[in-house]
Amino acid sequence: MTGQRPHGIGRRGLPAAAAAWTALPWPPLPWPPLPWATRPARAAAGRVVCIGAALTECVFALGEGPHLVARDSSSRFPAAALALPDIGYMRALPPEGIASLSPDLVILSEEAGPAEAVAVLRATGLPMRTLPDGAGPGAAEAKLRGVGAALGRDAEPVARQVAADWAMLDAPLAGLRARPRVLFVLSLARGAPLVSGEGTHADAAIAAAGGVNPVRGWRGYRPLSAESAATLAPDVILMMDFALQEAGGAAAVFATPALAVTPAARAGRVVALDGGLMLGFGPRAAHGRRALAALLHPDAALPPLPERPWTAA
Amino acid sequence: MDGGVRPAAGGAAAPAPAPGPDRTAGAPPSATRVLALGGLLLAAAMLAGLLLGPAAVTARGLLATLLDAAGLAPLPAEHARDAAVLGVIRAPRVLLAAMLGAGLAAAGTVMQGLFRNPLADPALLGISAGAALAAVAAIVFGHGLFGGLFGPQAGALGLWLLPVAAFAGGLAITFALSRLGTRAGVTSVPLLLLSGVALNALCGALTGLLIFMADERQARDITFWTLGSLAGARWPQVPVALALVLLPALLLLPLARPLNALVLGESGAFHLGVDVERLKRVAVVLSAVTVAAGVAAAGLVGFVGLVVPHLVRLAFGADNRLVLPGSMLLGASLLVLADLAARWLAAPAELPVGVVTALLGAPFFLWLLRRRAGLA
């Protein structure tokens, strides 16, 4: 994502030989364009492999779940997804494993990798659709529309409902005076908790739910020292529910030296939420936003959101 | 140094001035038999690697793919998947695995001969650690740096950033080694070994520092990279591996005879007419190139370089003229089969191939140690 910055330096000085080497018409050596490469990338009644938790939720939300033949290890919602074959961790894609499922379409989060394995998959001519894995307002609709286009299915009704649910929370959250400082802890990691910097899905989730991420100045999830935790002074520690369980509950969290000195520890405020609901920014984005806002602002009057088919497991 | 390397390798090959100690008593297994056996095994392994896997390929699909590749008949649509699996995924992968296995095993044999130590392997000198350090740096800094420099072209070129960095890292360590291990023109094997240990530790520490600086996703990428994988094998890598993995390994073959002489110690070998200094330099540099390029292509693949030479010695005795080519053939076969297992065992997911080789290699090595307790 950082690569998107509009830098132009040195593009002229691009090592021509290296570029030419990669640009050569390298194989599939003696293999001509494969027939499936010319097939349109849609699977009205086809076999779909989906890699990326939020994208898998989108496929189910659009009613195309029955076409899925495999998922990645992060796709754990809805329950029907768990019954599908698992191609493993999305940053360690297995080219032959995916080809062995004879998919008519591979829907791929842009976060999937490694780039080499994606290049191999591309070279096989399998129809692939890479979709952005954004966070924040509008991200869920973008994913739904992307998946809908890939599947040849109208995503507008679902996207509009998600957008409407999201918008129901805008006014009540804007009216809140308190903006708690919320530190998202990915894992306690034996004393140096991994916390969310800028540009993370957790950062976007906290902002959308009316909190403030006190971490500024670096991106991604990184370990935090005890001293910087004290200067960040979070009012609330936020975790994924399974991570909090694994860590051993609130007592263990505040026994960590880095977190023991925070205002959150004095108030005993650690909250936890399902990771896919809170950080996925898929069809459940609005409901995740409400659930997190309710945890961060226990006294606020938030409107209940309607039950949707895609929020039920 | 360039001038000295080639003649040494070539010179020892054809004329072979050193008589070489023919210490193998009794009936030594003939080289042709070993080579034929190994060649047969490798052919069978490569055939299995090509034909087997989670994506079942029918005989008809294979035939259609071959006819199409030969330009005899166009590919029928129903065999498109078979053709892609065979030609795009498996063929480059099997070729890379074979070359990598041969290179690692050859480097391992030569290291064990050079250090006269059964526990030596290509990782000992810190060459793979240096390559790993550079690869990890590429994972941590590569995206920002490369994306910034090249913009949209970064995608295609970016695939080469990590392997090029890893290869350069391995060579840099080799250069440092040859400087550190040489005093007044004489390469000291103990000095080389101890410098390697220190460089290993240094590279390990710097890699740790980079992991500390990495964010969560980069750290996971690093973990998977260090476990080794051939999942990214593509055709453009094949000619590169041919030149940088297989060729240096083949150039190691002529060292078999001087390495046999080295069993008598450096002065003993010297009196047999072996140019010991040149032998040490050539052995280290060629092993380094093949190992660095191998790490660049597939990450860290352990145990092939350590275990395979022992297997061959167990079967055919310690004559390096048999052990070296035999190890190359067996190493190639084993890595092809390990990669087949990596593709197949957890299908549709994939195991890291380094995990498979270590899972097979470590228990076997322990068994070997117990069986031959009198070895050291």
Side-chain angles (χ1 to χ4, degrees):
Chain A
M1 250 181 247
T2 46
Q4 301 286 5
R5 275 171 299 148
H7 272 246
I9 337 152
R11 210 168 293 173
R12 286 234 180 111
L14 188 77
W21 173 254
T22 51
L24 279 176
W26 278 108
L29 255 177
W31 287 268
L34 302 168
W36 65 23
T38 54
R39 226 182 289 161
R42 61 181 48 205
R47 300 165 60 82
V48 181
V49 173
C50 190
I51 295 154
L55 299 177
T56 302
E57 284 191 36
C58 289
V59 174
F60 277 100
L62 296 177
E64 298 280 335
H67 290 308
L68 282 178
V69 292
R71 58 162 183 124
D72 73 306
S73 59
S74 75
S75 297
R76 305 183 59 81
F77 188 92
L82 286 173
L84 295 168
D86 179 357
I87 60 106
Y89 178 43
M90 64 186 278
R91 299 285 306 162
L93 294 181
E96 181 167 344
I98 292 173
S100 74
L101 300 158
S102 299
D104 299 301
L105 173 67
V106 180
I107 298 177
L108 197 67
S109 157
E110 66 182 352
E111 296 294 314
E116 291 85 355
V118 176
V120 172
L121 273 175
R122 245 180 243 298
T124 64
L126 272 178
M128 288 166 63
R129 190 65 71 92
T130 306
L131 295 173
D133 185 23
E141 295 90 300
K143 281 173 211 169
L144 282 163
R145 291 191 181 106
V147 170
L151 294 169
R153 172 122 193 171
D154 182 18
E156 277 317 308
V158 179
R160 267 200 295 274
Q161 283 177 318
V162 171
D165 290 351
W166 181 279
M168 279 176 73
L169 301 165
D170 283 347
L173 284 174
L176 292 173
R177 213 166 304 146
R179 292 259 177 262
R181 296 165 69 82
V182 183
L183 185 66
F184 177 82
V185 176
L186 187 64
S187 83
L188 286 186
R190 292 174 307 283
L194 281 170
V195 305
S196 61
E198 296 176 52
T200 57
H201 283 40
D203 184 79
I206 291 167
V212 174
N213 182 5
V215 179
R216 281 291 165 262
W218 41 265
R219 305 180 65 82
Y221 295 89
R222 287 170 200 269
L224 184 73
S225 73
E227 284 170 39
S228 24
T231 58
L232 292 175
D235 304 310
V236 185
I237 303 295
L238 173 62
M239 295 180 77
M240 293 192 275
D241 49 11
F242 82 91
L244 181 61
Q245 255 176 30
E246 239 169 47
V253 171
F254 294 125
T256 307
L259 303 176
V261 292
T262 57
R266 282 193 290 279
R269 281 195 79 186
V270 56
V271 297
L273 202 56
D274 174 71
L277 176 67
M278 166 170 58
L279 306 175
F281 290 96
R284 291 184 292 158
H287 291 72
R289 183 191 191 197
R290 191 193 181 282
L292 182 55
L295 289 172
L296 298 182
H297 308 279
D299 305 325
L302 297 169
L305 298 184
E307 280 293 314
R308 302 289 189 190
W310 48 88
T311 59
Chain B
M1 194 187 281
D2 266 344
V5 170
R6 282 289 177 73
D22 278 327
R23 302 166 70 251
T24 37
S30 85
T32 28
R33 236 188 59 202
V34 173
L35 289 179
L37 212 65
L40 222 62
L41 180 66
L42 178 58
M46 289 180 76
L47 207 62
L50 197 63
L51 295 183
L52 302 177
V57 172
T58 58
R60 209 176 277 172
L62 175 68
L63 188 69
T65 307
L66 288 177
L67 286 177
D68 176 55
L72 295 177
L75 190 71
E78 70 263 33
H79 295 309
R81 194 200 74 166
D82 287 354
V85 166
L86 289 168
V88 180
I89 297 178
R90 284 185 194 161
R93 202 166 164 154
V94 166
L95 288 173
L96 270 185
M99 291 193 274
L100 190 60
L104 288 173
T109 310
V110 169
M111 289 292 129
Q112 287 168 10
L114 190 67
F115 294 114
R116 278 171 282 156
N117 185 331
L119 289 176
D121 87 334
L124 193 66
L125 290 182
I127 293 155
S128 11
L133 171 61
V136 168
I139 291 174
V140 175
F141 302 120
H143 188 58
L145 190 81
F146 223 60
L149 276 180
F150 297 112
Q153 280 99 337
L157 278 178
L159 291 179
W160 292 94
L161 173 66
L162 189 148
V164 168
F167 185 61
L171 290 196
I173 290 294
T174 313
F175 181 72
L177 261 181
S178 60
R179 294 298 294 267
L180 291 168
T182 307
R183 281 219 184 122
V186 178
T187 306
S188 151
V189 166
L191 198 57
L192 208 58
L193 193 62
L194 291 173
S195 307
V197 170
L199 287 173
N200 246 326
L202 184 65
C203 289
L206 290 173
T207 304
L209 189 66
L210 287 175
I211 292 175
F212 169 76
M213 293 167 67
D215 68 24
E216 171 68 8
R217 200 187 93 173
Q218 291 163 341
R220 294 201 71 173
D221 284 355
I222 291 168
T223 307
F224 272 85
W225 182 84
T226 54
L227 296 176
S229 170
L230 285 152
R234 286 160 298 121
W235 280 108
Q237 296 168 331
V238 171
V240 178
L242 208 64
L244 295 179
V245 178
L246 190 59
L247 182 67
L250 290 174
L251 289 176
L252 283 171
L253 282 175
L255 300 189
R257 198 179 275 267
L259 279 176
N260 278 345
L262 202 59
V263 173
L264 304 176
E266 288 197 20
S267 58
F270 178 77
H271 288 299
L272 286 171
V274 174
D275 184 343
V276 178
E277 287 313 307
R278 189 177 280 181
L279 168 66
K280 287 183 283 195
R281 273 203 309 274
V282 174
V284 168
V285 169
L286 289 178
S287 306
V289 171
T290 189
V291 169
V295 172
L300 299 178
V301 178
F303 269 93
V304 175
L306 178 60
V307 170
V308 167
H310 285 294
L311 275 173
V312 178
R313 276 189 211 107
L314 213 60
F316 302 113
D319 184 351
N320 280 311
R321 287 172 302 174
L322 293 182
V323 176
L324 199 47
S327 294
M328 286 179 68
L329 290 168
L330 185 63
S333 315
L334 283 190
L335 197 55
V336 169
L337 292 177
D339 183 53
L340 174 61
R343 274 186 280 140
W344 214 353
L345 290 181
E350 196 170 303
L351 289 169
V353 73
V355 170
V356 177
T357 56
L359 266 182
L360 298 174
F364 174 78
F365 197 66
L366 287 174
W367 172 79
L368 201 69
L369 285 182
R370 277 194 69 80
R371 230 189 82 137
R372 307 188 51 174
L375 195 76

